[in-house]
């Protein structure tokens, strides 16, 4: 999952999922936050034929990430201008750059931005990938044929910039993203959004409906996280 933006919170947010599912999310949060200490230094990992170096302050692609990467690659059309929101290590941005004419990869985490630049150069696409700091769309200019967003799934306050890869307080960034996304989409533009039942999927659906996007599910897959079943899904919006 990509690291994401500090932004104004949505004070009116209340979970829309059933209370028992909220309890499951809270349990996952507790278990995952109580795990081993983060690994010191950078890790080098493979991703769909790429080689990525990921700092300890940036989230490493998870086991489901290659499925998302494959869906993104299939969606990108030759010559597309692509925005990768909350890019993290740049795995999706660099995957998209195999076909896109230009990819703008943004993140609130300076370590992520530096990692994307290095990884784009390492994988031979530095001429097509521009990485920059941005709080959601704050530093983004122009329109895009495709916007990719792998947001934090949970709605709690982040403990630090690394934790902001997984949690977005009161879904402030997610809400702002949906409120502003249309003006950054080119005519016939599309979006690919990743989400899971580790978060409030009903709130995601509410945002999609409120902004009037056409919506189809590209894939769903069930995977265990901390011995609990979690559904991951990718949504194509237009």
């Amino acid at each position: 999952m990509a690291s994401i933006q500090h932004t104004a919170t949505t004070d009116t947010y209340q979970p829309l999922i059933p209370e028992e599912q909220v309890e499951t999310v809270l349990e996952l949060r507790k278990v995952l936050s109580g795990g081993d200490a983060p690994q010191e230094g950078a890790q080098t990992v493979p991703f769909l034929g790429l080689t990525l170096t990921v700092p300890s302050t940036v989230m490493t692609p998870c086991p489901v990430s290659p499925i998302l990467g494959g869906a993104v690659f299939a969606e990108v059309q030759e010559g597309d201008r692509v925005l990768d929101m909350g890019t993290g290590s740049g795995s999706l941005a660099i995957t998209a750059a195999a076909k896109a004419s230009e990819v703008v990869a943004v993140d609130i985490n300076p370590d992520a931005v530096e990692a994307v630049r290095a990884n784009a150069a390492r994988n031979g696409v530095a001429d097509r990938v521009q990485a920059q700091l941005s709080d959601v769309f704050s530093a983004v200019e122009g329109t895009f044929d495709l916007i990719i967003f792998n947001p934090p799934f949970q709605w709690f306050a982040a403990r630090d910039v690394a934790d902001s890869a997984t949690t977005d307080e009161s879904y402030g960034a997610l809400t702002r993203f949906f409120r502003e996304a249309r003006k950054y989409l080119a005519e016939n533009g599309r979006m690919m959004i990743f989400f899971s039942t580790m978060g409030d999927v009903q709130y995601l659906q509410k945002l999609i409906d409120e902004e009037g996007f056409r919506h189809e599910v590209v894939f769903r897959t069930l995977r265990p996280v901390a011995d609990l079943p979690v559904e991951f899904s990718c949504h194509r919006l237009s």
Side-chain angles (χ1 to χ4, degrees), residues 100-115:
S101 61
E102 179 187 6
V103 181
V104 178
V106 301
D107 205 291
I108 194 64
N109 184 347
D111 294 343
V113 172
E114 290 303 317

Side-chain angles (χ1 to χ4, degrees), residues 5-189:
Q5 299 83 355
H6 298 299
T7 188
T9 63
T10 306
D11 294 334
T12 57
Y13 169 75
Q14 295 292 330
L16 300 181
I17 52 177
E19 182 61 33
E20 59 269 23
Q21 193 171 345
V22 172
E23 292 301 320
T24 299
V25 171
L26 290 168
E27 180 63 23
L28 282 168
R29 173 78 171 157
K30 180 180 177 182
V31 170
L32 295 176
S33 65
D36 296 335
Q39 181 173 331
E40 293 296 328
Q43 301 179 62
T44 299
V45 298
F47 183 85
L48 296 178
L50 306 173
T51 299
L52 304 175
T53 297
V54 186
S56 60
T57 52
V58 176
M59 178 166 278
T60 303
C62 72
V64 182
S65 298
I67 304 176
L68 177 59
V72 166
F73 182 80
E75 180 64 30
V76 177
Q77 299 176 14
E78 295 288 342
D80 273 353
R81 186 172 192 243
V82 176
L83 172 66
D84 183 19
M85 177 69 66
T87 186
S89 65
S91 59
L92 300 178
I94 295 166
T95 297
K99 292 193 285 185
S101 61
E102 179 187 6
V103 181
V104 178
V106 301
D107 205 291
I108 194 64
N109 184 347
D111 294 343
V113 172
E114 290 303 317
V116 173
R117 291 171 180 160
N119 285 326
R122 183 176 293 108
N123 290 280
V125 293
D127 60 328
R128 296 194 295 283
V129 176
Q130 173 191 338
Q132 62 190 50
L133 286 169
S134 186
D135 180 354
V136 193
F137 291 106
S138 65
V140 173
E141 297 181 352
T143 59
F144 299 85
D145 303 292
L146 177 63
I147 297 176
I148 306 161
F149 192 19
N150 180 6
F153 300 147
Q154 300 188 333
W155 61 85
F156 314 110
R159 295 180 295 269
D160 51 38
V161 70
D163 194 38
S164 67
T166 62
T167 189
D168 166 20
E169 186 174 1
S170 296
Y171 287 133
L174 185 67
T175 303
R176 182 174 161 198
F177 172 86
F178 272 94
R179 298 289 185 253
E180 299 179 6
R182 276 203 183 276
K183 64 185 178 183
Y184 294 95
L185 278 175
E187 186 176 1
N188 300 318

